[in-house]
C-alpha cells in the first residue's frame, strides 16, 4: 500500500456545515466530504482490496466508494487534514491481519489443581447439608 498514491486518488468536496452557528456558517463551506473509489483504485493490490471490501463493507456505498465527512474545525484546511488522517488510520487498521490463534493444552499440574479445587468446594458444600438419620 502506497499512502502517497492513495492520497492522490482521494477526492474532496467542500460543503456547508449543518447545525447552529450563526451568520458565518451560512456563508462558508468548511465541511469536507472525502470520497475514495476503492474498486477503481490502483494504489492497493487485489488482496488488499478484498480485505478492505470485507472489513469496510458497512461504510461503503453500493459502488464501493468510501465516504468520510469532517466538520470538526471552522477551517476547511484543518478539516481536510483531519479527514485524510482519519482515512489513513481507517485503511491501516482494516489492512491489519490478525495473528492465528495457536491451540494449547493445559499442563498436567493445571488440570490437577483445577480438579483439587473442585473437590474441595464440593466437600465444603456437602458439609453444609444436614446429616441424614440413617
Amino acid at each position: 500500500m502506497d499512502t502517497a498514491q492513495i492520497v492522490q486518488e482521494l477526492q474532496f468536496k467542500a460543503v456547508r456545515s449543518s447545525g447552529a452557528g450563526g451568520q458565518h456558517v451560512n456563508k462558508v463551506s468548511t465541511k469536507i466530504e472525502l470520497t475514495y473509489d476503492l474498486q477503481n483504485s490502483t494504489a492497493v493490490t487485489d488482496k488488499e482490496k478484498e480485505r478492505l471490501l470485507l472489513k469496510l463493507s458497512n461504510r461503503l456505498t453500493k459502488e464501493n466508494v468510501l465516504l468520510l465527512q469532517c466538520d470538526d474545525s471552522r477551517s476547511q484546511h484543518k478539516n481536510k487534514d483531519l479527514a485524510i488522517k482519519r482515512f489513513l488510520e481507517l485503511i491501516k487498521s482494516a489492512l491489519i491481519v490478525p495473528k492465528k490463534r495457536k491451540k494449547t493444552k493445559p499442563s498436567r499440574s493445571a488440570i490437577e489443581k483445577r480438579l483439587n479445587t473442585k473437590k474441595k468446594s464440593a466437600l465444603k458444600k456437602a458439609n453444609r447439608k444436614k446429616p441424614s438419620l440413617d
Side-chain angles (χ1 to χ4, degrees):
M1 178 186 80
D2 185 21
T3 54
Q5 192 176 0
I6 286 181
V7 172
Q8 286 178 348
E9 290 182 356
L10 297 177
Q11 293 177 344
F12 300 97
K13 185 177 174 184
V15 187
R16 287 191 188 144
S17 292
S18 62
Q23 298 164 346
H24 185 69
V25 124
N26 300 329
K27 289 188 278 183
V28 182
S29 299
T30 55
K31 180 178 180 180
I32 292 291
E33 284 186 352
L34 178 148
T35 55
Y36 177 65
D37 190 0
L38 185 61
Q39 198 68 45
N40 299 324
S41 175
T42 58
V44 289
T45 64
D46 289 336
K47 275 191 175 184
E48 289 173 336
K49 275 185 193 177
E50 286 177 26
R51 183 151 198 83
L52 289 171
L53 286 170
L54 185 73
K55 288 278 189 171
L56 303 175
S57 60
N58 59 337
R59 300 191 83 162
L60 296 173
T61 63
K62 290 178 183 175
E63 295 83 31
N64 291 327
V65 175
L66 178 68
L67 292 172
L68 285 177
Q69 297 177 343
C70 184
D71 61 350
D72 296 352
S73 173
R74 288 182 176 187
S75 166
Q76 192 181 100
H77 298 292
K78 284 183 184 176
N79 282 336
K80 187 175 180 181
D81 291 339
L82 283 170
I84 291 171
K85 283 180 186 174
R86 287 181 188 166
F87 169 76
L88 290 174
E89 284 177 23
L90 187 71
I91 295 293
K92 284 177 184 173
S93 64
L95 287 176
I96 292 173
V97 181
K99 289 183 185 176
K100 280 197 172 181
R101 184 183 174 274
K102 293 179 184 175
K103 292 182 182 178
T104 57
K105 276 188 178 178
S107 64
R108 186 177 289 163
S109 62
I111 293 170
E112 288 173 5
K113 189 188 261 187
R114 183 179 60 85
L115 291 175
N116 284 335
T117 56
K118 279 180 77 168
K119 283 178 188 172
K120 281 183 185 177
S121 63
L123 271 172
K124 193 190 300 182
K125 290 179 180 185
N127 287 336
R128 291 180 191 157
K129 290 183 182 177
K130 292 182 180 179
S132 60
L133 297 173
D134 287 344

